[in-house]
Amino acid sequence: MTYEMLRRSSGVVSGDSDLWCTYAAVRTLTWLGRVDDLPSPETVTGFLSSRQNSDGGFAWSAGMSSDAWATYYCTQAMADLPGGGRDPVGGAGSAWVWSAAHADGGFAMTPGQASDVWATYYAVRTLVEIFGERPPEALFDWLSALQAKDGGLAWSPAHAKDGTSDVRACYYALTAWSTATGGQGPLPWSRERLTSWLKDRQSEAGGFTFQAGDDTDCLWATFRATSALSRLGETPRDPEACVAWIRARLTPGGSFTRWPGYPVPDVWAAFCGVGALRELGAGAEDFEDIADRVVETVLSFRTGQGGFTYRAPELASDVLTTSAHLIAGHFSDTGERDALRWTESCMLPNEDGIMYMPGRGSEVRCTLWALSAGAFRDDTAARGRIADWLAGSIQNPDGGFGYWEGRASDMVSTCAAAEILHRTGGESVAAHLRDIAGYVATCETAPGQYANVPGGRPTLRATLQALRALNRAVGTDGAPACDALALHRVRGGGFANEGNRVPDLLSTYEAVLAGDEFGLAWDAGHLTKFLDSVRTADGGFAWTPLMAASGGPLADCLGRRLEMRLSPERHALPPLALS
Amino acid sequence: MHTSDRTSEHTSHRASDHTETSTRVLAVLEKRFGDAARTLAPDADLSDALPGFDSLAALEYVTAVEGEFGIEVDFVGDDVRYWFSTLDRTAEYVRECVEDQAA
């Protein structure tokens, strides 16, 4: 695959700061001893603190539920900033982290969800490094069950039984152990087998891959592998080749890029490049020749909102925003073709889904949005690879799907995966679709009512997503959907996610989609009243009637598609899943 | 008592009600936004004046006002984004709701 489309970018820019990028930028500047170069650090703190929910945890975007990923990234980045303290958010943050702990010693990304090593790593680092607390003793039992037959570590004990090892899982598990113990005490795995598996991920060129069988080295894997080996007191088999490979990722006038042939320096590459060199023993003097240009490049990624995006903001397209424009029909023919080609370029090597931003891990939801927008419409081979990626690499042992590989299952991702498999998979994915039904059953809170994760609260959207997934997987009748719509129908117009008083655009979209899916009658006048209440002065749409401003491209897309559904042509709604 | 006196008293009573309502609405905002709410101008747009006044915060605000005054807001029929956009408008909306309930 070539990545020329990414160099100039033909997608659509949201202009928003991104938490993942902001964390990576702040850490990179900190590691280079250059965080004081950051103009107006208080604006970065303002962006990060805006992600805190009233439960004390943080969310990756406003309005979403708290999760361990966002809570670690926000609290750590705030602690790195000038004036940041050890406890930047008060005790509520610590209490939230504990709310996602399981008795077996692992942590979930959000309360009720299954434990995974991503969440456990974030939770342990937040508890120990930010709040100065101790993780549970049972942590070590949970970590010890992560070693697979091949010697590497997997995402969860259930994944380890199937033998799926990954460099990232090794890094997260080793760092959780190291953070909890200070690197002292017994290692809960076979050191020799783990070390050997990690070292075997280095190629002759010097870089690392995430998994056995991957064929393209990348800087992300190289950073995680060198870090994991460092926690073990080890180095790569060929450290000099590794340093040379990392430095070969530098562009002449700028910062690091991700893998050979990839043309764009981005914030995660800067983070991984600097981080990996540090793990390989580089001190301040070793960065003298590159620090200025890395800092200059990273600082150029700041947005007007106070945080950072992944590259120069005017070029920082993302797949969801671009797909939203495509689905809403905002492009000319030429623009549409270029935007689709740009979207199709947003795949990591070795991972056949589509990512949110180039170079980030492939995500199930983004893949569904991109396919719905027309990506790979005429490329049967690519669609087959996407189905194989879903069914062969990222379906969890419980049958569900998480946002990306190794993340525990949730209903949004599981519904998105069911929709993709339904449209791309053919007969070969039938068994995988049936496994989805197993996960959906674990989220049922009462007959016909479902939560986003096992143990969560039932909501309209989770219920309708569960019923859609079940319908794709094994078929189901429309009676539960009919009941759910009646329960959450708002008298004046629209549908509410919880109760029946406050309607919102996402829930109303899901409701109309489910109505069509199950052949249920719905009232066009009722939908029209709701759309009138969320339409904004500039022709966009707000997420709820409470806000006067557009909710951005995604809200505008959903509102526009509902309008098109009401038009005489009755354009069908794409089967999207967002939140 | 002359009519003009009664009118004056009525106007004064309404003004007093309005002030009390505004004070109680402000207290709701202070509980959520602290210092930023304390210096709030009565006609300032809340989403501009209060950091983090997003759709979630707006929902919490409306719900808290409902609880404080024992009223129920119609989220589709009542143009909530207008009435809950400033402190003054919220107070006026609340006062009319309370009067409707008493009628």
Side-chain angles (χ1 to χ4, degrees):
Chain A
M1 179 178 284
T2 64
Y3 300 98
E4 281 308 300
M5 288 303 290
L6 301 180
R7 190 187 295 276
R8 57 189 166 84
S9 182
S10 302
V12 184
V13 173
S14 77
D16 293 341
S17 293
D18 180 85
L19 177 52
W20 171 73
C21 301
T22 303
Y23 164 79
V26 171
R27 285 251 99 173
T28 305
L29 295 173
T30 302
W31 286 337
L32 289 171
R34 300 285 292 271
V35 77
D36 288 336
D37 285 28
L38 189 58
S40 314
E42 67 280 3
T43 62
V44 186
T45 302
F47 165 70
L48 294 167
S49 59
S50 74
R51 293 294 176 267
Q52 188 167 26
N53 286 323
S54 55
D55 61 13
F58 290 76
W60 76 317
S61 63
M64 294 189 71
S65 301
S66 302
D67 68 40
W69 183 95
T71 301
Y72 171 67
Y73 276 12
C74 284
T75 55
Q76 179 62 71
M78 284 198 278
D80 278 349
L81 289 166
R86 186 173 182 76
D87 184 5
V89 292
S94 161
W96 184 85
V97 175
W98 282 108
S99 75
H102 280 283
D104 63 8
F107 286 80
M109 198 63 86
T110 192
Q113 201 169 21
S115 302
D116 66 49
V117 78
W118 296 81
T120 302
Y121 159 84
Y122 294 129
V124 169
R125 290 199 72 167
T126 308
L127 287 174
V128 174
E129 295 177 6
I130 304 299
F131 297 112
E133 298 185 23
R134 288 182 57 78
E137 280 302 315
L139 169 71
F140 303 103
D141 290 337
W142 191 85
L143 291 174
S144 72
L146 298 179
Q147 192 155 34
K149 281 183 188 162
D150 61 11
L153 305 182
W155 307 114
S156 72
H159 283 88
K161 286 178 185 163
D162 295 335
T164 317
S165 298
D166 188 282
V167 161
R168 289 164 293 192
C170 295
Y171 164 76
Y172 296 135
L174 272 161
T175 304
W177 167 79
S178 174
T179 304
T181 62
Q184 306 297 312
L187 195 71
W189 311 284
S190 161
R191 174 185 292 272
E192 186 183 348
R193 292 172 58 232
L194 175 54
T195 305
S196 177
W197 186 88
L198 276 165
K199 289 189 175 187
D200 284 349
R201 302 285 73 76
Q202 187 179 23
S203 75
E204 288 185 7
F208 282 78
T209 60
F210 285 129
Q211 297 176 353
D214 288 353
D215 53 14
T216 303
D217 300 350
C218 80
L219 195 49
W220 185 8
T222 302
F223 175 35
R224 293 319 193 194
T226 52
S227 303
L229 287 167
S230 173
R231 307 288 180 273
L232 290 163
E234 299 277 351
T235 59
R237 289 197 201 286
D238 190 344
E240 289 179 7
C242 191
V243 170
W245 186 90
I246 295 166
R247 283 186 158 261
R249 302 282 71 74
L250 283 159
T251 57
S255 184
F256 291 93
T257 57
R258 305 290 291 276
W259 55 83
Y262 186 82
V264 182
D266 70 35
V267 74
W268 196 250
F271 167 77
C272 291
V274 172
L277 290 173
R278 286 178 80 246
E279 296 289 358
L280 289 163
E285 67 282 4
D286 298 299
F287 289 110
E288 278 180 4
D289 62 326
I290 62 170
D292 284 348
R293 56 179 158 145
V294 172
V295 169
E296 184 182 354
T297 306
V298 168
L299 289 179
S300 74
F301 299 162
R302 285 177 300 142
T303 80
Q305 291 181 320
F308 290 73
T309 186
Y310 68 98
R311 62 182 294 192
E314 67 274 16
L315 295 172
S317 314
D318 69 79
V319 164
L320 282 179
T321 306
T322 303
S323 298
H325 270 65
L326 285 162
I327 292 168
H330 291 327
F331 280 107
S332 66
D333 284 350
T334 307
E336 178 176 319
R337 209 161 37 246
D338 287 348
L340 283 172
R341 282 191 59 211
W342 179 86
T343 303
E344 290 165 352
S345 302
C346 294
M347 277 185 166
L348 274 177
N350 316 315
E351 198 172 1
D352 285 329
I354 296 174
M355 57 194 87
Y356 174 49
M357 293 168 168
R360 199 162 171 165
S362 293
E363 288 188 2
V364 179
R365 290 177 322 156
C366 296
T367 303
L368 175 62
W369 277 68
L371 290 173
S372 297
F376 301 118
R377 185 182 287 137
D378 303 315
D379 188 340
T380 307
R383 293 161 77 85
R385 284 198 301 275
I386 289 172
D388 290 345
W389 165 71
L390 282 174
S393 295
I394 78 159
Q395 188 167 23
N396 287 320
D398 62 11
F401 290 78
Y403 280 157
W404 59 74
E405 182 166 3
R407 268 198 68 161
S409 306
D410 65 83
M411 195 61 74
V412 173
S413 307
T414 301
C415 177
E419 294 287 6
I420 299 169
L421 288 170
H422 173 73
R423 65 163 64 189
T424 61
E427 289 300 314
S428 64
V429 299
H432 296 281
L433 279 166
R434 281 195 295 278
D435 290 343
I436 282 176
Y439 173 71
V440 171
T442 66
C443 296
E444 190 169 26
T445 59
Q449 294 182 28
Y450 296 84
N452 188 43
V453 297
R457 287 201 317 271
T459 62
L460 175 66
R461 292 206 295 274
T463 295
L464 298 180
Q465 288 159 1
L467 295 171
R468 270 206 282 149
L470 273 180
N471 203 34
R472 296 304 188 207
V474 294
T476 186
D477 69 56
C482 189
D483 292 345
L485 294 179
L487 194 64
H488 295 283
R489 186 178 193 274
V490 176
R491 194 178 48 198
F495 291 83
N497 196 35
E498 297 184 47
N500 63 355
R501 292 205 53 230
V502 191
D504 68 85
L505 186 57
L506 258 179
S507 301
T508 303
Y509 188 92
E510 281 282 357
V512 177
L513 185 61
D516 287 346
E517 167 93 10
F518 292 105
L520 306 173
W522 49 269
D523 178 356
H526 176 255
L527 176 59
T528 300
K529 280 186 197 165
F530 171 74
L531 287 178
D532 288 344
S533 77
V534 289
R535 199 174 280 106
T536 58
D538 59 359
F541 290 88
W543 288 117
T544 76
L546 289 157
M547 301 306 288
S550 157
L554 302 189
D556 293 345
C557 169
L558 298 184
R560 175 72 189 126
R561 291 304 306 214
L562 284 170
E563 280 184 333
M564 290 167 69
R565 179 64 186 80
L566 284 172
S567 71
E569 294 79 16
R570 298 186 179 184
H571 294 282
L573 296 181
L576 304 170
L578 182 62
S579 171
Chain B
M1 188 183 288
H2 296 293
T3 305
S4 60
D5 291 336
R6 282 207 302 274
T7 304
S8 167
E9 185 182 85
H10 182 64
T11 304
S12 163
H13 184 64
R14 281 177 64 92
S16 158
D17 275 357
H18 189 76
T19 304
E20 188 201 333
T21 304
S22 294
T23 304
R24 287 169 67 188
V25 172
L26 186 59
V28 166
L29 282 169
E30 282 181 2
K31 202 168 179 182
R32 174 73 165 73
F33 293 98
D35 287 343
R38 251 166 243 131
T39 55
L40 192 67
D43 59 350
D45 192 295
L46 299 181
S47 54
D48 292 336
L50 297 176
F53 194 85
D54 54 17
S55 58
L56 198 62
L59 175 58
E60 289 173 358
Y61 172 49
V62 176
T63 306
V65 168
E66 285 182 314
E68 171 68 21
F69 294 96
I71 59 175
E72 187 167 288
V73 173
D74 178 344
F75 284 86
V76 179
D78 279 353
D79 198 357
V80 277
R81 61 189 182 200
Y82 173 82
W83 289 114
F84 287 83
S85 62
T86 72
L87 182 60
D88 255 359
R89 287 176 187 168
T90 307
E92 188 180 345
Y93 174 90
V94 167
R95 195 170 46 75
E96 288 181 6
C97 270
V98 171
E99 279 183 5
D100 286 349
Q101 280 182 344

